[in-house]
Amino acid sequence: MFEITLTLDKTNKEALYVQLYKYFKTEIQNGQIKAGMKLPSKRKLAVHLGIGLNTVDSAYQQLMAEGYVESQLRKGFFVADLEPISPLNEPLHVSGGVMGPKHERNMIDFNHGRVDMDSFPHAVWKKCLNNTLYLQERKIFMSGDPQGEWGLRAEISSYLFQSRGVRCGADQIIIGAGTQYFIHLLRLLLGNEGIFGLEDPGFHRVREVLRLEGANIAFIPLDEGGISVDSLKKSAANVAYVTPSHQFPSGMIMPITRRVELLNWAVEKAGYIIEDDYDGEFRHAGKPIPSLQGLDTNGKVIYLGTFSKSLIPSIRVGYMVLPKELARDYQQKLIGYKQTVSKIIQETLCLFMINGHWERHLNKMRTIYRKKNKVLLNAIEENFHDHVAVIGEKSGLHVLLKVKNGISESELIQKAASVGVRVHPTSVYHSKNVKGPTILIGYGGLTEREIEEGIRLLKKVWL
């Protein structure tokens, strides 16, 4: 028998039997009450704690139901012999909202997918969320419009025209959870006739969706202006996926002459252009360049956008603007697809935009990221001088470093990790092996101090 050191709180809202059950469960899990030990009889324990017999019985029954104790006829209740839960190879911790091995806790991670979470207006967002739940009442919990909530689509339509020159109505906008989902929908809309010309290097997640769905793919090389239209013309492609405002990952901005060439190609080919404007809001020199879609007068551009870079990645809200002809096809063929973004999140974001919080937040983030960009470039110049070449520094939340030390990409990454810095490869974005190592440096989620310290540490192991 063992000593019961439990004091039940009768003023607690939690039922007494739950308190008792939790006590035994914790003691068993911690090894304080070991396998094979006999629990006190229900009557003795009830007297000892000054509680009813039914209360003890309920606690024991719950322990039995979960397998912590076993009942032996005419003998009583005994602690079961539980197999211990095997620990993970490396304990996990939470750092910046991301789970990772313990040794990664202090890593300075130049991840291009992270944003400045400290600057997110948590209180304002929470207020909008609470107002949404209050104003919408019961209907907020029902399924929404498969195409996305009309109010949010109307707000996005207005924002896109003012900031990116995109011309569309709310009926042309589809809300969805990310680029890969939209590529899947487009694959269904365009059918087997769609042969996709992808930038090379380019966004690997788009490539993987198309590959897994058995789409025909043509890899199109880049030049200083972005995707090579000459190479595109020589291919069989009739759908071109491009990132003209900030080519991913190489970072160049497509000039107006190339944009016109691309639009003319789409007309001649009777095809489409998918314009992925994943971080077009952030241009560090001058104003954001108008979208390719805004130049299109023939309904040939499909425009993709996201709130992942400009707001927070976790809300998983993206949008696709279809040309009117494709929007009609979507209504006929794919309207049966359920919406992938929570209606609560959509309505909260809509309220966030209506009340002007979105525009204020975006202006604030432009200033913050412009400053971080400057800090990064200054740190690279001070530490590396002409030992690296910086690519794509005028826009977005990442740059590329072409390192001139004769070390391979994998070795550069390993050396960085040895001093607590994580940098990322660019080889994954190429369809073929490439010569010369180029490293991707994302800086949106780091503080200015972390940026400077990370570059200083890279100098120690790269030079």
Side-chain angles (χ1 to χ4, degrees):
M1 188 65 67
F2 48 84
E3 184 179 358
I4 302 294
T5 58
L6 169 66
T7 301
L8 295 173
D9 184 0
K10 296 184 180 180
T11 65
N12 195 318
K13 291 182 180 180
E14 195 169 54
L16 294 178
Y17 89 89
V18 175
Q19 295 180 47
L20 182 59
Y21 145 76
K22 285 185 175 180
Y23 166 79
F24 279 117
K25 178 180 175 180
T26 300
E27 294 294 287
I28 293 170
Q29 288 177 335
N30 291 342
Q32 299 301 314
I33 302 179
K34 302 187 183 301
M37 283 187 172
K38 183 180 180 181
L39 299 187
S41 72
K42 290 186 284 185
R43 189 173 301 280
K44 284 184 178 180
L45 187 57
V47 171
H48 175 70
L49 295 175
I51 57 178
L53 190 63
N54 288 341
T55 300
V56 178
D57 182 64
S58 295
Y60 279 12
Q61 292 300 322
Q62 185 63 33
L63 290 167
M64 285 180 58
E66 295 186 19
Y68 287 99
V69 302
E70 298 170 340
S71 175
Q72 296 183 19
L73 188 63
R74 297 191 183 89
K75 290 184 178 181
F77 295 89
F78 295 82
V79 177
D81 186 8
L82 302 176
E83 183 178 347
I85 299 174
S86 301
L88 297 172
N89 291 332
E90 295 188 77
L92 298 181
H93 76 284
V94 178
S95 176
V98 179
M99 299 296 288
K102 186 176 180 180
H103 70 271
E104 296 177 357
R105 179 171 51 199
N106 298 318
M107 293 281 279
I108 296 175
D109 190 353
F110 286 99
N111 188 315
H112 74 90
R114 294 184 178 178
V115 299
D116 190 329
M117 290 302 302
D118 292 336
S119 299
F120 178 70
H122 294 86
V124 173
W125 180 263
K126 185 176 180 181
K127 183 178 179 180
C128 289
L129 175 59
N130 289 336
N131 286 342
T132 295
L133 294 172
Y134 175 75
L135 294 172
Q136 295 277 347
E137 295 183 340
R138 297 180 66 175
K139 68 178 183 179
I140 193 66
F141 303 110
M142 303 299 291
S143 294
D145 190 323
Q147 196 169 328
E149 297 309 300
W150 181 268
L152 177 57
R153 287 190 277 141
E155 286 299 313
I156 290 173
S157 173
S158 176
Y159 158 70
L160 287 178
F161 178 69
Q162 294 172 15
S163 66
R164 308 295 296 122
V166 173
R167 300 173 184 276
C168 67
D171 57 326
Q172 294 172 249
I173 296 176
I174 317 294
I175 304 296
T179 302
Q180 289 180 305
Y181 172 68
F182 292 133
I183 295 298
H184 167 69
L185 291 183
L186 289 173
R187 171 90 174 98
L188 295 175
L189 271 180
L190 300 174
N192 293 328
E193 293 77 23
I195 302 174
F196 292 80
L198 303 184
E199 297 171 320
D200 190 15
F203 190 31
H204 63 308
R205 299 193 190 282
V206 167
R207 180 180 70 213
E208 283 305 296
V209 170
L210 294 172
R211 184 183 64 82
L212 289 170
E213 295 197 357
N216 293 315
I217 300 173
F219 293 104
I220 312 299
L222 307 176
D223 58 26
E224 66 281 356
I227 194 168
S228 168
V229 176
D230 287 340
S231 298
L232 188 61
K233 288 178 178 178
K234 294 175 183 176
S235 74
N238 56 10
V239 181
Y241 170 85
V242 295
T243 49
S245 294
H246 186 223
Q247 200 282 329
F248 188 86
S250 300
M252 74 274 293
I253 298 167
M254 185 180 290
I256 186 67
T257 52
R258 180 62 54 84
R259 293 176 186 232
V260 172
E261 282 185 79
L262 193 54
L263 288 169
N264 288 336
W265 166 85
V267 173
E268 294 167 7
K269 197 75 176 182
Y272 289 101
I273 301 164
I274 303 171
E275 177 183 14
D276 190 348
D277 201 12
Y278 67 98
D279 66 358
E281 293 91 354
F282 303 115
R283 179 158 163 74
H284 309 306
K287 294 183 178 180
I289 293 176
S291 67
L292 193 62
Q293 197 268 7
L295 300 173
D296 178 28
T297 58
N298 296 292
K300 294 299 180 182
V301 177
I302 300 160
Y303 181 88
L304 304 183
T306 179
F307 288 94
S308 291
K309 295 281 190 183
S310 51
L311 202 55
I312 47 175
S314 62
I315 64 171
R316 298 296 296 156
V317 179
Y319 46 90
M320 174 168 65
V321 179
L322 294 175
K324 291 181 179 179
E325 182 181 357
L326 280 183
R328 287 192 291 270
D329 288 347
Y330 170 86
Q331 288 287 338
Q332 294 173 3
K333 298 178 181 178
L334 302 181
I335 200 64
Y337 266 61
K338 297 286 283 185
Q339 176 55 235
T340 56
V341 177
S342 160
K343 183 177 179 180
I344 296 174
I345 292 295
Q346 290 185 64
E347 294 289 4
T348 301
L349 179 54
C350 180
L351 199 59
F352 189 80
M353 297 179 79
I354 288 173
N355 291 333
H357 303 307
W358 162 245
E359 186 176 356
R360 285 190 289 273
H361 174 69
L362 199 53
N363 289 335
K364 175 184 175 182
M365 297 316 299
R366 285 186 178 121
T367 300
I368 289 172
Y369 289 141
R370 191 176 293 120
K371 190 174 180 183
K372 287 187 180 185
N373 176 270
K374 186 175 181 180
V375 168
L376 174 67
L377 296 179
N378 287 341
I380 292 171
E381 173 60 28
E382 290 173 7
N383 287 278
F384 287 98
H385 303 294
D386 58 352
H387 293 286
V388 301
V390 181
I391 304 168
E393 73 279 8
K394 294 181 180 179
S395 188
L397 303 182
H398 77 269
V399 301
L400 299 187
L401 289 185
K402 188 171 281 293
V403 186
K404 306 173 185 177
N405 61 3
I407 301 177
S408 69
E409 180 185 82
S410 60
E411 288 176 305
L412 288 170
I413 292 171
Q414 290 170 7
K415 285 179 177 290
S418 72
V419 290
V421 179
R422 177 178 289 160
V423 295
H424 299 269
T426 59
S427 56
V428 296
Y429 307 118
H430 291 261
S431 65
K432 300 176 182 177
N433 293 331
V434 292
K435 295 180 180 180
T438 304
I439 297 297
L440 190 149
I441 300 287
Y443 55 86
L446 297 176
T447 65
E448 293 177 19
R449 187 197 63 78
E450 288 173 327
I451 291 170
E452 292 174 328
E453 176 67 7
I455 297 301
R456 186 186 66 78
L457 290 170
L458 290 178
K459 176 186 177 181
K460 287 178 61 176
V461 290
W462 282 3
L463 293 186

